[in-house]
Amino acid sequence: MLRAAWRALNAIRTQAATQAPVLGLPSDPWGLPSPRGLLLRAARGYAIQKPVRPSQEDDPPPSTLLKDYQNIPGIEKVDDVVKKLLSLEMANRKEKLKIKQEQLMNKVVANPEDTSSLEARIVALTVKIRNYEEHMQKHRKDKAHKRYLLMSIDQRKKMLKNLRKTNYSVFEKTCKELGIEYTFPPLYYRKAHRRFVTKKALCIRVFQEAQKLKKQKRALKAAAAAARKQGQTNPESPSKAGPEAIKENQ
């Protein structure tokens, strides 16, 4: 952090030396701006972050009553203060997510009461994933929620894959309503690290040596079979050659 601030200060100094008369910055006798202005600009530049996406909880209006109080008879005649207490404006995050999940269920699922279908579970996982994404934008170093986010994304990928195989029309509707861009997973993916690369090279080398040995064994078997065949076509019996050699010598 200190190195980054020091580099930002050096960059601002070099820019201020050339642009101080133009920008009208307060400068010292050597033409450099005051250290207070440099520190403020460096701190502001270091504190710049990526823009946060709008929250998914902004879709339902804050005056919407909670799910448990919507079907109560005579709720419309209740005082405005009581309505405000029973509305989303005073609700916690869990209740807001329930309302959002119910809205998405009505859009995607044919029977919103059926929560065991694939598309209903995909909707629930999507709401959970968006909640984790909003949390990670505010707390970037939260490793536990980052792990939960990646696990939920992998689980949703598997469910989308199964839904695409079983019911393609419902799969298209689900992806369209939820704004999911489905990409085909690779046939085989594994993160290559040093141990994996070394093990793979060793396995390849062992396989090549085993193929060489098999090739040599096949060549030896072929040579032995050829010699055996040649011996059968041209027989030379030493028992018959012995008496003939003795008669010639006599």
Side-chain angles (χ1 to χ4, degrees):
M1 181 175 177
L2 292 175
R3 287 183 181 178
W6 182 251
R7 288 172 187 167
L9 280 172
N10 289 335
I12 292 170
R13 277 180 189 162
T14 54
Q15 292 177 4
T18 57
Q19 300 177 4
V22 180
L23 298 174
L25 296 172
S27 59
D28 56 3
W30 289 277
L32 295 175
S34 63
R36 183 180 176 187
L38 287 174
L39 288 173
L40 284 174
R41 289 180 63 182
R44 287 170 185 164
Y46 187 79
I48 290 174
Q49 295 181 356
K50 296 180 180 179
V52 180
R53 289 172 53 190
S55 174
Q56 60 168 341
E57 301 165 1
D58 296 338
D59 295 338
S63 60
T64 307
L65 291 174
L66 296 177
K67 186 178 179 181
D68 299 335
Y69 306 104
Q70 287 177 359
N71 299 324
I72 294 178
I75 192 67
E76 297 176 355
K77 300 178 182 179
V78 179
D79 192 17
D80 294 339
V81 179
V82 179
K83 281 186 179 180
K84 188 175 181 180
L85 290 172
L86 302 179
S87 63
L88 284 179
E89 189 176 354
M90 305 295 291
N92 56 14
R93 192 176 187 85
K94 189 175 181 180
E95 292 172 343
K96 292 179 181 179
L97 290 177
K98 278 184 181 179
I99 295 291
K100 183 63 181 177
Q101 182 175 340
E102 185 182 356
Q103 288 183 351
L104 291 177
M105 284 278 195
N106 294 330
K107 288 182 181 178
V108 176
V109 186
N111 184 13
E113 296 180 358
D114 183 16
T115 57
S116 62
S117 60
L118 266 177
E119 53 269 25
R121 286 187 283 168
I122 289 170
V123 168
L125 270 177
T126 303
V127 174
K128 192 184 293 186
I129 287 168
R130 290 177 183 173
N131 185 28
Y132 287 151
E133 285 176 350
E134 291 175 13
H135 179 83
M136 289 303 300
Q137 285 180 353
K138 296 176 184 176
H139 311 280
R140 299 177 184 275
K141 295 186 179 181
D142 193 346
K143 295 184 179 179
H145 277 79
K146 186 177 181 180
R147 179 171 171 268
Y148 299 151
L149 173 63
L150 296 176
M151 288 170 62
S152 302
I153 290 173
D154 289 341
Q155 191 176 359
R156 188 177 69 175
K157 279 183 183 177
K158 293 177 183 177
M159 290 184 180
L160 284 170
K161 185 178 178 181
N162 293 335
L163 183 61
R164 185 176 180 273
K165 288 180 180 178
T166 55
N167 197 340
Y168 190 78
S169 59
V170 177
F171 165 78
E172 279 189 337
K173 181 184 176 183
T174 305
C175 291
K176 185 179 178 181
E177 294 293 338
L178 299 178
I180 300 173
E181 185 179 353
Y182 181 78
T183 55
F184 292 97
L187 297 177
Y188 179 77
Y189 173 74
R190 184 172 180 178
K191 188 177 180 181
H193 46 82
R194 190 176 297 175
R195 183 178 178 183
F196 170 70
V197 172
T198 308
K199 187 176 179 181
K200 187 176 180 181
L202 178 63
C203 292
I204 291 172
R205 189 172 177 182
V206 169
F207 176 75
Q208 291 175 351
E209 293 294 330
Q211 293 296 321
K212 285 182 182 178
L213 289 175
K214 288 182 180 179
K215 191 176 181 180
Q216 290 176 2
K217 285 182 180 179
R218 285 196 296 267
L220 290 173
K221 284 183 179 180
R228 201 179 304 113
K229 190 176 181 181
Q230 188 177 1
Q232 289 177 359
T233 53
N234 300 322
E236 294 181 358
S237 56
S239 59
K240 293 181 180 179
E244 292 175 357
I246 291 170
K247 288 180 181 178
E248 289 176 359
N249 291 331
Q250 290 177 354

